[in-house]
Amino acid sequence: RKMPGGLKISDEAVKKLTIRQQYDKNASIRNIFVWNGTATQLVFTKPLPWMLIVLHIMLWALWEFHDCTGALENVVGCVKAQEFFKKYPIQISELGMLTSLVTFFVVFYNGNCFTRYTTLYDK
């Protein structure tokens, strides 16, 4: 098969990329706990999601528990994270460019995924 951008893909590769888990509408509890052949398995066996989860926990802990005691007592201008954002709040108008970029990339990515999906399953 020919993919977008002139990439050719074999039928064997298509079988590897196809999620083989069949959905059974009468076994909803079993469907919740299925692991093999699901997107969840593909996501949580990679290191990047775990690194992002750890980063999120670290930033949350910094937000909740950071104070200027201990080793940070001698740092000039040390303030808690909540106090910093009260002093310098983020205005919604400052997020306009970021919102536009995220919207563009999400739409572009979804279009790209749909093109790959239709190419992969086009018989």
Side-chain angles (χ1 to χ4, degrees), residues 51-93:
M51 288 189 294
L52 292 174
I53 289 169
V54 168
L55 176 66
H56 176 78
I57 291 170
M58 289 171 41
L59 290 173
W60 172 81
L62 179 68
W63 174 264
E64 286 294 319
F65 303 114
H66 165 70
D67 58 3
C68 296
T69 60
L72 296 174
E73 282 180 332
N74 298 328
V75 176
V76 177
C78 180
V79 295
K80 291 179 72 170
Q82 290 99 338
E83 293 173 11
F84 176 82
F85 284 109
K86 284 180 187 173
K87 188 175 181 180
Y88 303 104
I90 297 175
Q91 302 297 323
I92 194 71
S93 60

Side-chain angles (χ1 to χ4, degrees), residues 17-120:
L17 294 172
T18 305
I19 295 177
R20 293 174 295 279
Q21 181 61 37
Q22 296 299 317
Y23 175 75
D24 182 7
K25 66 179 181 179
N26 298 321
S28 55
I29 298 297
R30 186 182 66 83
N31 291 333
I32 293 172
F33 296 106
V34 170
W35 178 257
N36 291 330
T38 62
T40 308
Q41 179 189 21
L42 293 173
V43 170
F44 286 111
T45 56
K46 307 277 187 229
L48 181 62
W50 293 109
M51 288 189 294
L52 292 174
I53 289 169
V54 168
L55 176 66
H56 176 78
I57 291 170
M58 289 171 41
L59 290 173
W60 172 81
L62 179 68
W63 174 264
E64 286 294 319
F65 303 114
H66 165 70
D67 58 3
C68 296
T69 60
L72 296 174
E73 282 180 332
N74 298 328
V75 176
V76 177
C78 180
V79 295
K80 291 179 72 170
Q82 290 99 338
E83 293 173 11
F84 176 82
F85 284 109
K86 284 180 187 173
K87 188 175 181 180
Y88 303 104
I90 297 175
Q91 302 297 323
I92 194 71
S93 60
E94 296 170 350
L95 301 175
M97 181 60 77
L98 180 63
T99 304
S100 300
L101 282 172
V102 168
T103 303
F104 171 76
F105 286 120
V106 166
V107 170
F108 180 79
Y109 179 75
N110 283 338
N112 193 5
C113 289
F114 182 74
T115 301
R116 287 185 288 151
Y117 171 81
T118 54
T119 303
L120 186 64

Side-chain angles (χ1 to χ4, degrees), residues 4-21:
L7 178 69
K8 292 182 181 178
I9 188 167
S10 68
D11 288 336
E12 183 179 315
V14 169
K15 288 179 185 176
K16 286 182 181 178
L17 294 172
T18 305
I19 295 177
R20 293 174 295 279
Q21 181 61 37

